[in-house]
Amino acid sequence: MSQTITSFFKRKVPPKEPKQGDGSGLDSCGTSADVSIDTTQPAAETGCSSARATDVAAGLSENAAKKKKQKLATQFKPEWREGRPWLLYVENQGMFCSYCQKHNKAPYGRNVWNKKPTVRFRLETIKDHEKSAEHRDSVRLELTKSKNIATELTKPTVISRDGMIQAFMCLYFLAKNNIAHSTNFPKLLELEALLGEDILDKISKGQTAKYTSKMAIKEMLECISEVIETDILDNVRKSDSFSIMFDETTDVSVIEQFVIHARYIDESGNVEAKFLKILDALAKNEVDNRDPRTSGQGTDMNELDVGIIKLNADKICSTVTKYLEDNELDYVGEHCAAHKLNLAAKQSGKDFPIIQRFKRVLASLYAFYSRSAVRDKGRSVVQELLSETLNESGKISNPAETRWLSLGECAVKLKNIFTSVVVSLEREAEERADTTAAGLVKLMTKLEFVATLFLLCEVLPTVNRLSTVFQGARVNFADINLALSATLNTKKNLDLTPSVASLVERCNAQGISIQCKDLAQDIADFTTSVHEPFIGQLMENIEARFTDSDTDVMASFSYAFDPASYASPNAEELLCQHMEVLCKQFAIPRDQAISEVKDLIFYVTGSGHDSLGPKEFLSTLTARGSLYSTTFPSISKLATIYASLPPHTADCERDFSRVKLIKTNIRNRMGEDTLDCLLRISVEGPPIKEFDFERAARIWAEKKPRRYRVQLS
């Protein structure tokens, strides 16, 4: 075998095709093309083998470059995106159609171009996708949305003035009529749209600015309230004299509400009483301000009680003071005369256990009948059979805890239907074995209960009538003590025997036995132990509350500005005495006021004004620009102060009734600020046709930077 191992492993080079026109079949070195190259030997060992190897390597490089160029041609080309905003290329994934993804279209029933990429990087593939029906639908939807966006962008950025004013009118209507505004405001706008006035379309800007959210409604409500409050405060500051009234109550959420009113003289000389503010008097408990690390540990209940009581007084004082200082207001303090009477009677009753028991029995009677329509109907039938007088409501009244004088009204109603109530209770106890009814019969048929009933019926209604007089527009405080003393002295000497004996006789006629040993003696004992001490205690309490320095000031006012006092023989002397008291209290020059008294008496009697009533005479003295205000400035100033002083807090009481209409059981989570705005609009808001809605809309527009502005004049 002539072939060596070395030659066996030599690389065979395939014969090279001769170039066209060259038939030699030899390479450039004259060597045959069919030559084996020994790659194991260095190039220098074989003559032209080095050049030949270089040519072979060059041929291999050209083939690799050609293959690489062919591979690059299958990749994504950026120029394909020209005119195709939907074409999306993701590195190492493939091509997507953003329109088909956005509108959830799947060309050819598959998810290619939508959820799955296409990896066929060819222009023909892209053109085929453009021709698909799904892609054309995606393009159509995108163009439609683009037109909507363009339409929104071309809309004006100004909210309709008329639309915003109409929206404020709708909200004002709801608040003025105590209708829930948060839920009904959008519904009212929908109703307006059905009626042909699309207010919501006028004030809305797309889906992001409809102004019907709770926050937007609250802002609009605050702007309406601000208009009313600003006008009231301006009028109060312009007045020559004004005073502040405040009272407190508990709302449906058991939150203690504190109402503040202002009483002032307007430009026409009329007395006005306006609502100012409602506040939570006990908004924050001082006990909660202790160190949180020791809070709730070792706390004595007495300490908590003291904290709450202290808070009640201090918080009210600080709340009123802060509000007055913030609004640059000052006031004169005078306790309500009606409240004085109520407190005097209430404190007198606390010293007599028999009166407290009577009150508890009356409350139990009210609960017994008010909780059952069957029981109350049975009492009504018995009452008709016995021909007893029906009271106004046809039901037994409940004595209010906050109005102790209402106990007298309840006692009068029970006295008129006493026998029918006892008969009805006996029937309930016998036929239905009702132990509560049996217990009430036992308590009501005691002589002490009957005697207490007649005592309260005689005394408390009289005091209550005086309280009603004190709630009038103007009270003559000089006659208060005289009227009370005369009234109570007549009641002190009252003999209850005939009245009690008459009721006992009526009860006996119906088979009702009143528990007593000796009727005359028992009544005499009751008069000695309860009747006379109770009236005496009541008189002491009233005198203590109506003989202080404040009452002396009010008495001087009452005499000085009563035109009938100017015709008395010693009018000048008495008027000078009362003027000295008033000038000292209100820091008015004494000598100037005294010098005006003589001329004032002459002018009043000479002009016939001494025949005027106290209210008309006071209006004459306080009228701006009148002869009195220019000729007698000191006395006119005192008259203005007297006219602005509140003799009662009846206006506050009326507002408490309005609070119950606004903050109901289904609106019990209403915040303090919202309640304040709603109460101000409900109480002091003018008729809807007189309110300045454009002013409220301007305040709303300028309250903070807004995305859209309101074009107002």
Side-chain angles (χ1 to χ4, degrees):
M1 189 173 173
S2 59
Q3 189 177 17
T4 64
I5 295 176
T6 303
S7 63
F8 180 80
F9 288 98
K10 288 181 180 179
R11 180 187 302 174
K12 298 292 184 179
V13 179
K16 186 177 182 181
E17 293 290 336
K19 296 181 180 181
Q20 188 175 2
D22 184 7
S24 63
L26 301 175
D27 59 10
S28 59
C29 294
T31 309
S32 173
D34 187 12
V35 179
S36 298
I37 301 176
D38 187 359
T39 58
T40 63
Q41 298 294 330
E45 295 181 358
T46 59
C48 294
S49 61
S50 176
R52 192 178 296 113
T54 302
D55 292 339
V56 173
L60 294 173
S61 298
E62 289 176 2
N63 291 334
K66 188 175 181 180
K67 291 180 179 180
K68 184 176 182 182
K69 184 176 181 181
Q70 184 178 1
K71 184 177 181 182
L72 289 173
T74 62
Q75 299 298 321
F76 180 81
K77 293 183 180 181
E79 57 264 27
W80 292 344
R81 289 176 173 166
E82 295 180 2
R84 299 182 180 92
W86 51 268
L87 185 57
L88 178 65
Y89 171 71
V90 180
E91 190 74 23
N92 298 326
Q93 292 188 29
M95 297 184 296
F96 292 88
C97 177
S98 61
Y99 288 1
C100 291
Q101 286 180 333
K102 187 174 184 180
H103 301 288
N104 196 21
K105 298 293 183 180
Y108 310 109
R110 297 177 296 171
N111 290 327
V112 181
W113 289 98
N114 183 355
K115 297 181 180 179
K116 295 181 180 180
T118 179
V119 294
R120 297 180 63 191
F121 297 100
R122 293 181 182 179
L123 184 60
E124 289 77 13
T125 304
I126 298 173
K127 291 181 178 180
D128 289 340
H129 177 69
E130 285 180 320
K131 297 177 183 178
S132 66
E134 291 79 4
H135 177 76
R136 290 197 299 269
D137 290 340
S138 300
V139 173
R140 179 177 54 80
L141 293 173
E142 188 67 17
L143 289 176
T144 303
K145 183 178 180 182
S146 299
K147 291 180 180 179
N148 292 337
I149 294 175
T151 303
E152 289 295 329
L153 292 176
T154 56
K155 282 186 177 181
T157 58
V158 178
I159 302 175
S160 169
R161 168 188 175 275
D162 294 338
M164 186 54 65
I165 291 178
Q166 290 171 347
F168 271 92
M169 286 182 177
C170 293
L171 184 59
Y172 186 86
F173 171 80
L174 296 175
K176 185 65 178 174
N177 293 279
N178 307 321
I179 303 174
H181 60 287
S182 297
T183 55
N184 291 311
F185 180 67
K187 298 177 182 178
L188 185 57
L189 296 185
E190 293 177 2
L191 176 62
E192 292 287 345
L194 293 176
L195 296 175
E197 191 67 44
D198 198 343
I199 301 174
L200 186 60
D201 182 65
K202 294 179 181 179
I203 65 175
S204 297
K205 293 297 177 182
Q207 298 295 323
T208 59
K210 290 188 174 181
Y211 303 108
T212 56
S213 64
K214 290 185 178 180
M215 184 60 67
I217 295 174
K218 184 178 180 181
E219 287 183 352
M220 296 169 65
L221 191 69
E222 290 174 349
C223 294
I224 295 174
S225 176
E226 184 177 342
V227 172
I228 300 174
E229 183 179 18
T230 302
D231 290 343
I232 293 175
L233 291 175
D234 289 344
N235 292 332
V236 171
R237 296 189 188 101
K238 292 177 183 177
S239 178
D240 295 333
S241 177
F242 61 88
S243 59
I244 301 297
M245 300 180 291
F246 45 86
D247 201 355
E248 56 184 333
T249 189
T250 303
D251 64 15
V252 69
S253 299
V254 200
I255 297 176
E256 191 170 4
Q257 302 292 356
F258 194 77
V259 175
I260 304 176
H261 273 71
R263 184 181 174 94
Y264 63 94
I265 310 296
D266 63 9
E267 296 181 354
S268 302
N270 299 320
V271 179
E272 297 286 347
K274 297 292 185 180
F275 166 79
L276 291 181
K277 192 75 174 176
I278 185 170
L279 300 167
D280 182 1
L282 305 179
K284 190 174 182 180
N285 198 320
E286 291 182 356
V287 178
D288 296 335
N289 294 332
R290 297 171 299 167
D291 189 348
R293 294 171 295 182
T294 60
S295 176
Q297 299 178 4
T299 303
D300 187 7
M301 288 305 297
N302 292 330
E303 178 185 348
L304 293 176
D305 291 340
V306 172
I308 293 173
I309 293 173
K310 181 180 179 182
L311 172 67
N312 195 1
D314 293 347
K315 184 64 178 180
I316 290 175
C317 181
S318 61
T319 299
V320 175
T321 303
K322 184 178 184 304
Y323 178 79
L324 297 178
E325 291 177 351
D326 291 343
N327 293 279
E328 301 177 356
L329 299 175
D330 196 3
Y331 69 99
V332 177
E334 170 63 26
H335 197 175
C336 175
H339 281 160
K340 287 183 179 182
L341 281 176
N342 186 67
L343 291 174
K346 185 175 182 179
Q347 291 175 352
S348 300
K350 286 183 177 180
D351 296 335
F352 296 88
I354 190 172
I355 295 179
Q356 296 301 315
R357 288 196 298 270
F358 177 88
K359 186 177 180 181
R360 289 194 295 268
V361 172
L362 198 57
S364 299
L365 275 174
Y366 172 79
F368 182 81
Y369 286 106
S370 64
R371 295 174 184 174
S372 174
V374 176
R375 295 171 183 170
D376 191 66
K377 183 61 178 178
R379 177 201 57 78
S380 179
V381 170
V382 173
Q383 186 173 331
E384 292 179 2
L385 292 175
L386 297 180
S387 301
E388 288 191 325
T389 305
L390 288 169
N391 56 21
E392 295 179 0
S393 63
K395 299 180 181 296
I396 297 175
S397 301
N398 183 30
E401 185 65 29
T402 56
R403 294 179 59 249
W404 202 83
L405 288 175
S406 66
L407 180 62
E409 301 173 359
C410 300
V412 172
K413 292 180 179 180
L414 178 61
K415 182 190 70 172
N416 295 331
I417 58 174
F418 183 83
T419 55
S420 59
V421 170
V422 176
V423 171
S424 173
L425 290 173
E426 289 179 343
R427 174 176 171 273
E428 294 288 341
E430 294 175 2
E431 297 182 3
R432 302 186 182 183
D434 195 319
T435 57
T436 302
L440 289 173
V441 170
K442 185 176 181 180
L443 292 172
M444 292 180 63
T445 54
K446 291 183 177 181
L447 182 65
E448 65 176 22
F449 182 88
V450 176
T452 305
L453 174 64
F454 277 92
L455 171 64
L456 297 181
C457 287
E458 293 292 340
V459 176
L460 293 186
T462 303
V463 181
N464 201 13
R465 283 193 294 272
L466 290 175
S467 177
T468 304
V469 173
F470 295 160
Q471 297 176 36
R474 180 53 53 197
V475 182
N476 190 341
F477 285 86
D479 298 333
I480 286 180
N481 293 334
L482 178 61
L484 287 174
S485 299
T487 302
L488 293 178
N489 279 326
T490 58
K491 299 301 179 182
K492 186 176 181 179
N493 300 323
L494 180 67
D495 185 8
L496 295 178
T497 303
S499 300
V500 175
S502 175
L503 181 59
V504 171
E505 185 178 350
R506 283 168 48 197
C507 291
N508 291 334
Q510 300 298 332
I512 302 172
S513 177
I514 302 298
Q515 305 171 29
C516 64
K517 296 179 181 179
D518 186 327
L519 180 61
Q521 184 61 40
D522 289 345
I523 295 177
D525 294 341
F526 177 84
T527 303
T528 305
S529 61
V530 178
H531 182 187
E532 294 179 355
F534 172 72
I535 294 182
Q537 183 67 40
L538 180 60
M539 291 182 62
E540 291 179 4
N541 291 338
I542 291 176
E543 290 174 357
R545 290 183 175 274
F546 283 90
T547 57
D548 53 14
S549 58
D550 291 338
T551 304
D552 293 340
V553 172
M554 299 305 296
S556 296
F557 269 131
S558 298
Y559 185 88
F561 298 107
D562 182 4
S565 62
Y566 287 71
S568 62
N570 54 347
E572 183 176 352
E573 179 182 357
L574 294 176
L575 283 173
C576 289
Q577 293 177 2
H578 289 298
M579 288 297 176
E580 288 183 0
V581 174
L582 298 176
C583 291
K584 181 179 179 181
Q585 178 71 20
F586 298 102
I588 292 178
R590 170 189 173 279
D591 295 339
Q592 182 176 351
I594 296 299
S595 64
E596 295 175 2
V597 169
K598 186 175 182 179
D599 294 336
L600 178 65
I601 295 174
F602 176 79
Y603 186 84
V604 170
T605 55
S607 61
H609 286 169
D610 54 337
S611 60
L612 295 175
K615 184 177 180 180
E616 292 76 11
F617 181 66
L618 195 62
S619 299
T620 304
L621 293 177
T622 57
R624 295 182 183 180
S626 65
L627 180 63
Y628 285 105
S629 61
T630 56
T631 308
F632 313 104
S634 298
I635 295 178
S636 179
K637 176 66 175 178
L638 289 173
T640 303
I641 295 174
Y642 179 47
S644 63
L645 286 177
H648 55 76
T649 57
D651 299 286
C652 299
E653 299 289 346
R654 283 190 285 269
D655 289 349
F656 294 152
S657 300
R658 196 68 63 91
V659 168
K660 294 179 180 179
L661 296 177
I662 297 173
K663 190 171 183 178
T664 59
N665 288 327
I666 60 175
R667 304 174 73 186
N668 60 71
R669 298 185 64 185
M670 183 183 297
E672 202 69 27
D673 295 338
T674 303
L675 178 59
D676 175 61
C677 294
L678 291 175
L679 183 60
R680 182 174 294 105
I681 296 172
S682 179
V683 175
E684 302 299 346
I688 190 170
K689 62 181 180 180
E690 298 179 7
F691 187 79
D692 189 355
F693 291 101
E694 184 168 349
R695 180 181 168 192
R698 183 179 293 105
I699 294 175
W700 176 85
E702 298 173 353
K703 200 174 188 66
K704 64 180 181 181
R706 299 189 181 276
R707 187 186 310 173
Y708 305 103
R709 60 189 179 88
V710 183
Q711 187 67 40
L712 299 171
S713 58

